[in-house]
Amino acid sequence: MQFYQLGGFVTSQNMNRRNFNVGYHLTDVNFSEKALLKYAAEKNDGKLKKNILNKIKEEKSKTFLSKILYYETIQ
């Protein structure tokens, strides 16, 4: 069973906008990290990629009952 992540959809749609606000999507839109990693790769933005990976690492390090399993699916 696969779950559809609305945050990822919203982020991927907004990436096409001229006034796309990366910071907002990184901090305020949940479950947008996969789309943002793709965006960082397309824009060759190493700093953004590092920030996203740090956020994922923090989420993965939480105890099992505190984890959001979405972050376990990000490679």
Side-chain angles (χ1 to χ4, degrees):
M1 180 178 209
Q2 208 172 18
F3 294 97
Y4 189 75
Q5 299 298 334
L6 186 58
F9 175 74
V10 168
T11 300
S12 66
Q13 294 302 303
N14 284 335
M15 281 192 273
N16 298 323
R17 296 176 58 123
R18 209 177 36 235
N19 62 345
F20 177 60
N21 186 338
V22 176
Y24 171 75
H25 284 270
L26 181 60
T27 59
D28 295 329
V29 179
N30 294 325
F31 311 116
S32 63
E33 289 76 14
K34 286 181 183 179
L36 287 174
L37 281 171
K38 180 181 174 186
Y39 179 81
E42 290 171 358
K43 299 296 182 184
N44 235 2
D45 190 337
K47 184 178 177 183
L48 175 60
K49 181 178 179 181
K50 183 179 177 183
N51 287 339
I52 298 165
L53 292 175
N54 283 337
K55 181 177 178 182
I56 294 167
K57 184 178 178 182
E58 287 175 22
E59 290 293 333
K60 283 185 172 185
S61 69
K62 292 181 178 179
T63 61
F64 180 75
L65 294 177
S66 297
K67 281 185 181 183
I68 299 173
L69 295 179
Y70 161 79
Y71 291 101
E72 296 298 317
T73 68
I74 300 176
Q75 302 295 328

